Structures are given as C-alpha cells and as structure tokens.
Amino acid sequence: MSNIAEIQDYLVNLAPPDLAESWDNVGLLTGDPAQNVNQILTCLTLTPDVAAEAIAAGVDLIISHHPILFRPVQRITSTSVEGKMLLDLIQAKIAVYSPHTSYDSAERGINWQLANLLGLEEIGVLRPIVSQSDESDGQERGAGRFGTLPAEFTLPQLNQLIKQALKVNSLQFVGESDLRIRRIGIACGAAAEFLKDAHHHDCQVLLTGEARFHACLEARALGMGLILPGHYATERPAMEQMAQLLQQQFPDLKIGASQQESDPLQWDCDPESS
C-alpha cells in the first residue's frame, strides 16, 4: 500500500518545488506523510463542495492546484468558511497537497500541455530560471512557454482553434482581426505579466486565462493579441491529466478528478452571435 510520502515523491519529481514562484505556497500543506493512501482526488481549487465530495467518498489525499493557506493565518475556527473546511478535512484525515506554479512551469506541466494541445512546434521557455538543481542535460527550465504554430493564423482563426481545444464556447481577446499570427506565448491562469516576455520572443499573441484592464491596454499598445478563455479553462484540464498520470503510476489506488468542481464564471452569450 502506498503512503502520502510516496505520492509526494512522485509529485516532487513531476513538478519540482524549486520551479515555484517565490510568493507561492507549494507542497504538502496538511497531513501526515506516513499515512496510507487508498484514494486520491484532484481539483483546481479546494472549495467546500469539493471537500464535501472528498469526505463523502472516503478520499485520503486531495491534490489541489491552487493552495489552501495561501496567506499566513492567525486562527482556524469553524466561524469562517475556510476554517470550517480545514477542520472538516483534518477530522476526516484528508491530506492536501498543492503543486501550483511548480506544475505550471514543469517540463511537462500545464503550460507545456497547452502548447502541445495547440500543436505548437519549437516549444521554448518564456521566462528561463536557473536553480541549484539544474542538470547538465541542456533542458531549459522556467515559467511560461512559447512556440510556433504549424501555419499562419489570423486572430479570429486562432480564437476558434483555442475555443475548440479548450472546449469553451466563448473567450475574451485583445487585438485586430487582421493580425497575422505564427508565434504564440502561453502562461496559464492569471499571468498577463508575461506580455513583455512574449513580446521579447517575437510572439504576436499571449494566451492566458484572465487579465486586468491595464494589461489589456498594454497588449494593445504593444500591437499584440491577448487571448483570455478563462482561468478555469486554462488550468482545470491539467488536473484531470494529473489524475491520469497518478493512476498510471499507482494503479492499485482509486484516483480521479473532482466531479463537483465547476467554473464559477458563466457567460451570457447572444444565441444569434454564437
């Protein structure tokens, strides 16, 4: 039987913590490494409904992309939503692990998965990093990805490709319809700060989940496209992929992505324009 420490070793290899951003909180956040594991649930964000799903199913470990206890806390009580959820999880002996930005930036992590999904070629790292654990295999490490599309696209054509790939009905974007695109930058979640990195790598477009208004203005000023299909759409599929990877590695365990989780944002689309 596998224990949490063995699962953690696999996750550390898949998404090395030294790839995480300095402000992040990754790794085993609650739980006993020696605890045995029979069932694992993956999710994008650990919310009360996902926690209730895990407790009802008898899950031993939740792997949540977004960390709990992200900011320092002074108390954990049942008087707050997060506090009650944490107390319920601890009482049920459910551990929580978060890979977050280490998984975003991993060699086969979220940004690479998005680049691969769109069929990009010559995939590179948008923002390279150097760490003590770098190996001499020539593999560049860092955050974000960029690559070359197999053919030139207009912005509307690329929007359509991304909607189909991510299985969304609509998205937001910045850019002119006649913008010609061959190279695209990718930074999942809320990562419009990678605009200048994408511009530096001669990308005509940056794909991220969501962006602030001033980032949209910055993209327009740079003459770049900015494509925003939603935070959930750019990251949730990778947590489903993680469940599959874990199942392959630990075939004796029951592993799956949350069935209760859903995108909190809804889109009011005009039927005549869809």
Side-chain angles (χ1 to χ4, degrees):
M1 180 178 292
S2 301
N3 61 25
I4 288 173
E6 292 175 276
I7 309 297
Q8 182 177 5
D9 287 344
Y10 173 78
L11 292 169
V12 165
N13 184 65
L14 175 68
D18 67 342
L19 290 175
E21 298 293 334
S22 60
W23 45 261
D24 207 357
N25 185 28
V26 303
L28 185 64
L29 303 182
T30 67
D32 178 3
Q35 179 182 327
N36 289 331
V37 176
N38 290 301
Q39 190 168 344
I40 299 174
L41 183 76
T42 67
C43 64
L44 178 60
T45 308
L46 182 46
T47 55
D49 55 340
V50 174
E53 175 187 10
I55 292 169
V59 165
D60 305 293
L61 173 63
I62 296 174
I63 302 172
S64 172
H65 187 58
H66 295 143
I68 55 172
L69 301 172
F70 188 69
R71 297 177 179 84
V73 296
Q74 295 178 309
R75 59 183 60 86
I76 299 175
T77 72
S78 61
T79 58
S80 71
V81 172
E82 184 180 47
K84 184 179 185 307
M85 180 181 73
L86 287 169
L87 290 171
D88 288 344
L89 290 170
I90 291 168
Q91 185 175 18
K93 295 184 178 179
I94 298 176
V96 180
Y97 186 101
S98 172
H100 204 206
T101 55
S102 60
Y103 188 35
D104 293 345
S105 300
E107 183 180 350
R108 291 295 183 267
I110 298 183
N111 287 316
W112 179 87
Q113 291 176 32
L114 289 170
N116 190 58
L117 185 65
L118 295 177
L120 299 190
E121 302 166 350
E122 302 173 344
I123 298 172
V125 175
L126 272 181
R127 188 180 291 175
I129 63 171
V130 176
S131 71
Q132 294 180 349
S133 65
D134 281 345
E135 300 176 358
S136 58
D137 60 1
Q139 181 67 42
E140 192 174 40
R141 306 168 83 241
R145 293 294 184 269
F146 70 90
T148 304
L149 290 158
E152 187 177 75
F153 282 70
T154 64
L155 186 54
Q157 289 172 335
L158 183 58
N159 286 342
Q160 188 62 30
L161 172 67
I162 289 171
K163 285 193 290 184
Q164 292 174 348
L166 297 182
K167 299 177 182 178
V168 295
N169 295 322
S170 58
L171 50 73
Q172 295 179 302
F173 69 94
V174 175
E176 301 298 328
S177 60
D178 59 354
L179 179 64
R180 314 298 293 190
I181 303 154
R182 193 65 197 271
R183 180 170 284 193
I184 176 173
I186 296 174
C188 63
E193 69 268 20
F194 283 84
L195 262 171
K196 285 188 170 65
D197 301 277
H199 188 260
H200 172 75
H201 287 286
D202 299 320
C203 298
Q204 292 84 39
V205 162
L206 175 70
L207 166 65
T208 187
E210 58 180 316
R212 294 182 177 181
F213 179 72
H214 289 285
C216 298
L217 293 177
E218 181 183 5
R220 188 171 69 181
L222 289 170
M224 290 181 61
L226 182 61
I227 301 179
L228 310 170
H231 199 128
Y232 187 91
T234 61
E235 294 187 337
R236 161 70 190 202
M239 297 313 293
E240 298 170 8
Q241 173 70 10
M242 177 173 281
Q244 295 174 15
L245 293 172
L246 284 162
Q247 190 68 80
Q248 293 169 10
Q249 185 69 21
F250 301 96
D252 56 321
L253 304 184
K254 183 178 181 181
I255 305 172
S258 169
Q259 298 300 303
Q260 291 297 316
E261 185 168 48
S262 61
D263 192 343
L265 287 175
Q266 300 183 58
W267 303 84
D268 186 1
C269 300
D270 184 350
E272 295 182 359
S273 63
S274 61

